[in-house]
């Protein structure tokens, strides 16, 4: 059965829907240069081991790119192929995102088999990641998950002893449980058999009038980063101190023959928030006291070289 899962982390949606202005030029540009890749952190997994899936959008060119997202998916992945996927996970955005030259944006999902009841079968599994350009595919090996999350409602009159016996038979961990009108409702994390097998068995059990798998929520650990630029020339370096910083950031260029440089700062969504095209000398101070806390990327570029530094602003 196809299951469509929309994952919109509150922190991400809040940041995207905040009062910060749109980029000065929200028109899409250089989108054809963006590439999408999907990967996992390991080629194979043991039973119950968390599966890490990463989808990366990269800008491998020396020109900035902007991709518009209007309540659409920044990235998504489908498990076991487009025609037979067991579910698809999607991360949403509501405004344009800028990809500086040589930058990338990665979304990471941690799929816990003991929560999702996935994989439903053992063997080789296909992941298709998509965002812009052609989708990318990777594979990994994993055994079938033995358990997962369920939601249920008992019939009236089920005794506490009977419920306890059911819990024991399923090696169930109680996530939530409450009583209403003589019925017990709740969510359990169950063990010992494939989730679909457990659901079929207890949907036919007269002690329940509702018993269903919970697979529509991907575990909430996600990483959202941007502007992971790669230096064009190792002869140029930029140092930042202190880091983390709350008030004044001091930047120092390390180069054999410093020349006029361009200084740019990008926020965690890849939006340029600071630009100086005529920095001369080897040191520079920036007042960051009014910047929202978070991760920023500083990029310094000269005529034939570029260097970046990540900076964390704290309060």
């Amino acid at each position: 059965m196809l299951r469509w899962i929309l994952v919109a982390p509150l922190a991400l949606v809040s940041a995207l829907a905040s009062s910060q202005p749109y980029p000065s030029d929200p028109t899409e540009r250089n989108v054809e240069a963006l590439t999408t890749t999907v990967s996992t952190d390991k080629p194979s997994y043991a039973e119950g081991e968390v599966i890490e899936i990463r989808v990366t959008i990269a800008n491998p060119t020396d020109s900035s790119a902007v991709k518009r997202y209007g309540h659409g998916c920044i990235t998504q992945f489908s498990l076991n192929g487009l025609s037979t996927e067991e579910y698809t996970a999607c991360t949403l955005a509501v405004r344009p995102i800028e990809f500086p030259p040589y930058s990338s944006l990665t979304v990471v999902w941690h799929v816990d088999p003991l929560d999702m009841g996935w994989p439903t079968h053992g063997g080789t599994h296909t992941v298709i990641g998509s965002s812009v350009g052609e989708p990318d595919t990777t594979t990994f090996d994993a055994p079938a998950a033995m358990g997962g999350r369920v939601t249920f409602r008992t019939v009236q009159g089920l005794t506490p002893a009977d419920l306890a016996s059911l819990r024991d038979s399923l090696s169930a961990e109680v996530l939530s449980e409450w009583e209403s009108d003589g019925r017990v409702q709740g969510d359990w994390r169950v063990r010992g058999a494939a989730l679909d097998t457990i659901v079929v068995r207890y949907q036919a059990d007269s002690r329940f009038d509702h018993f269903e798998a919970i697979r529509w929520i991907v575990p909430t650990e996600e990483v959202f980063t941007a502007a992971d630029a790669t230096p064009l020339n190792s002869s140029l370096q930029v140092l930042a101190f202190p880091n983390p910083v709350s008030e004044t950031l001091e930047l120092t260029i390390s180069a054999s023959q410093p020349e006029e440089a361009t200084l740019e700062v990008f926020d965690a969504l890849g939006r340029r928030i600071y630009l100086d095209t005529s920095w001369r000398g080897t040191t520079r101070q920036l007042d960051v006291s009014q910047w929202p806390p978070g991760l920023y990327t500083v990029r310094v570029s000269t005529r034939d070289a570029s260097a970046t530094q990540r900076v964390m602003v704290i309060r």
Side-chain angles (χ1 to χ4, degrees):
M1 180 190 303
L2 173 63
R3 293 187 182 272
W4 179 262
I5 309 169
L6 295 181
V7 182
L10 292 179
L12 172 59
V13 172
S14 176
L16 291 169
S18 68
S19 60
Q20 296 183 24
Y22 279 75
S24 57
D25 180 10
T27 304
E28 285 195 343
R29 62 177 182 271
N30 202 28
V31 176
E32 66 279 0
L34 298 175
T35 62
T36 299
T37 57
V38 62
S39 61
T40 58
D41 61 323
K42 298 170 64 173
S44 62
Y45 298 87
E47 182 180 327
E49 192 172 8
V50 172
I51 300 165
E52 180 177 290
I53 297 174
R54 300 182 295 261
V55 179
T56 297
I57 312 168
N59 177 12
T61 72
D62 59 2
S63 300
S64 177
V66 174
K67 172 63 178 172
R68 292 183 63 87
Y69 295 97
H71 297 278
C73 294
I74 298 173
T75 61
Q76 64 187 62
F77 72 85
S78 299
L79 296 171
N80 284 345
L82 291 176
S83 60
T84 60
E85 70 258 55
E86 295 175 23
Y87 59 86
T88 296
C90 169
T91 294
L92 301 175
V94 294
R95 65 176 65 222
I97 295 177
E98 180 178 0
F99 295 84
Y102 307 102
S103 69
S104 64
L105 179 154
T106 300
V107 179
V108 181
W109 290 270
H110 292 94
V111 180
D112 185 349
L114 298 182
D115 257 348
M116 299 295 295
W118 188 92
T120 59
H121 60 276
T124 299
H125 305 276
T126 300
V127 184
I128 297 179
S130 57
S131 178
V132 293
E134 292 297 320
D136 188 43
T137 301
T138 191
T139 61
F140 64 88
D141 292 322
M146 293 292 103
R149 292 177 62 186
V150 298
T151 182
F152 68 89
R153 183 174 61 245
T154 69
V155 298
Q156 290 183 330
L158 187 70
T159 68
D162 285 339
L163 190 61
S165 176
L166 280 168
R167 286 196 211 99
D168 291 343
S169 67
L170 290 169
S171 301
E173 173 190 352
V174 177
L175 303 177
S176 64
E177 215 173 81
W178 66 97
E179 186 174 346
S180 176
D181 297 327
R183 305 167 187 260
V184 177
Q185 301 180 56
D187 299 337
W188 289 346
R189 186 180 286 114
V190 298
R191 299 284 188 273
L195 185 60
D196 290 341
T197 300
I198 293 172
V199 168
V200 169
R201 181 192 311 159
Y202 285 95
Q203 281 180 341
D205 191 317
S206 61
R207 294 170 293 184
F208 294 96
D209 65 10
H210 175 77
F211 199 96
E212 184 180 359
I214 302 178
R215 279 201 178 106
W216 54 85
I217 302 175
V218 176
T220 56
E221 282 192 78
E222 291 195 356
V223 178
F224 188 91
T225 60
D228 193 8
T230 302
L232 297 176
N233 189 323
S234 60
S235 66
L236 177 65
Q237 294 182 337
V238 57
L239 307 177
F241 180 83
N243 192 8
V245 61
S246 59
E247 298 291 337
T248 302
L249 179 67
E250 182 171 300
L251 302 174
T252 303
I253 291 180
S254 173
S256 56
Q257 291 183 331
E259 57 184 280
E260 185 173 87
T262 295
L263 171 62
E264 300 170 279
V265 181
F266 301 90
D267 67 12
L269 297 180
R271 297 175 296 199
R272 188 168 63 193
I273 64 166
Y274 184 89
L275 173 64
D276 182 352
T277 60
S278 57
W279 178 13
R280 291 184 179 275
T282 58
T283 62
R284 178 67 177 274
Q285 290 188 334
L286 289 180
D287 179 6
V288 302
S289 60
Q290 301 303 310
W291 293 9
L295 186 65
Y296 294 82
T297 298
V298 175
R299 184 170 72 225
V300 177
S301 306
T302 61
R303 181 175 54 190
D304 59 359
S306 177
T308 63
Q309 180 65 258
R310 290 287 186 90
V311 174
M312 177 65 72
V313 174
I314 60 175
R315 292 287 173 261

